[in-house]
Amino acid sequence: MRHKILETSNELFLNLGFKSVTMDEIASKLGVSKKTIYKYFENKTELVAAVTDYMFHTVSCGIDTICELKMNPIEEIFSIKRFIMKHLKDEKSSPQYQLQKYYPKIYASLTQKQFDVMQVCVLSNLKKGIDLGLYREGIDLEFTSRIYFNGMVGIKNIELFPLIDYSMNTLMNYYLEYHIRGIATERGVQELKKQLIQK
C-alpha cells in the first residue's frame, strides 16, 4: 500500500503541484480513507519528503541504465532528457518551484542529492566526449559540470522562464543546445544537429 500511495501522490504532485494537492484528494484518488494514508505517513510533509525521494531514485536508476548503454555522449544527454521528460510529465505545474517555496528543507536536500549524482554523470559524459573528439580538449571539467547543473536548475525558475511562454521540453532543448555548442568540436556540433531533429 505504501508504494501505491507514493505512486499516486507522485502523479498528483507532478500534475497539480506539491502545494495544491490535499491529503483528501490523494485518498479519493486511491479510493481509501485519509486514515489509511496516515498509517504510513504522519503528515503531508512526511509524504512530500517520501515522494521526492521516490522520484529521485526512479530517475537516478533510469539515468544509470541509459549510461550503461554506452551511447556517444551527446546522444546520451538527449536520451536522459527524453527519459526525464517522460517521468516528470513536462513539469506542467512547476513542482520544483512549489517545493522550493513551501518545503524548503526538502528542496535543499533533494537539490544536494541531484547535484551529487549529476556531478558524477556529467563529468563522465565530458571525459568521454573529449576522448571521442566530440567535445573540445582543454575545457575545465569541474567548472563545466557545475555550470551545467546550475543551468539545469535555473531553467526551472518560473519567474525567469514562465511556463506560459516555454514548455519544459523546449527549455531543455534550448539549454542542451546552448551547453553543447559551448564545448563541442565540429564533429560534436554535427551530432548535436542530429539529436535536435529528433527532439
Side-chain angles (χ1 to χ4, degrees), residues 61-91:
C61 289
I63 290 172
D64 287 346
T65 302
I66 291 167
C67 291
E68 282 163 17
L69 297 174
K70 308 282 184 224
M71 304 171 179
N72 81 58
I74 295 172
E75 189 182 3
E76 181 180 273
I77 284 180
F78 278 90
S79 292
I80 289 171
K81 183 219 73 162
R82 285 188 283 272
F83 170 78
I84 289 171
M85 285 293 91
K86 193 176 142 199
H87 272 78
L88 299 186
K89 319 283 185 203
D90 204 18
E91 305 200 33

Side-chain angles (χ1 to χ4, degrees), residues 13 17-23 26 38 41-50 103 106:
F13 288 149
F18 287 99
K19 171 73 174 157
S20 317
V21 176
T22 65
M23 295 297 256
I26 295 166
Y38 287 125
F41 304 98
E42 210 171 290
N43 51 45
K44 188 178 171 187
T45 302
E46 199 181 289
L47 176 60
V48 168
Y103 300 94
I106 297 171

Side-chain angles (χ1 to χ4, degrees), residues 2-3 5-18 47-63 83-84 86-91 93-96 99 106 110 113-114 117 156:
R2 188 178 192 277
H3 188 73
I5 294 168
L6 287 174
E7 277 189 329
T8 301
S9 303
N10 183 44
E11 181 90 13
L12 288 168
F13 288 149
L14 285 176
N15 285 320
L16 305 168
F18 287 99
L47 176 60
V48 168
V51 166
T52 55
D53 208 41
Y54 166 78
M55 215 186 300
F56 171 75
H57 285 293
T58 302
V59 170
S60 294
C61 289
I63 290 172
F83 170 78
I84 289 171
K86 193 176 142 199
H87 272 78
L88 299 186
K89 319 283 185 203
D90 204 18
E91 305 200 33
S93 64
S94 62
Q96 179 176 292
L99 195 64
I106 297 171
L110 179 66
K113 284 193 289 190
Q114 287 173 331
V117 165
K156 292 177 182 179

Side-chain angles (χ1 to χ4, degrees), residues 87-154:
H87 272 78
L88 299 186
K89 319 283 185 203
D90 204 18
E91 305 200 33
K92 297 179 193 76
S93 64
S94 62
Q96 179 176 292
Y97 178 77
Q98 287 198 8
L99 195 64
Q100 188 174 7
K101 191 170 178 185
Y102 300 107
Y103 300 94
K105 281 185 182 164
I106 297 171
Y107 173 79
S109 164
L110 179 66
T111 302
Q112 185 59 54
K113 284 193 289 190
Q114 287 173 331
F115 175 74
D116 293 341
V117 165
M118 270 182 77
Q119 273 296 87
V120 174
C121 187
V122 175
L123 284 168
S124 163
N125 183 280
L126 290 170
K127 286 173 189 162
K128 197 162 58 170
I130 292 167
D131 290 345
L132 294 173
L134 295 170
Y135 302 153
R136 290 181 289 108
E137 284 187 29
I139 55 176
D140 186 309
L141 299 180
E142 194 64 32
F143 171 79
T144 306
S145 66
R146 285 170 182 268
I147 205 81
Y148 177 77
F149 179 79
N150 193 50
M152 275 296 189
V153 171

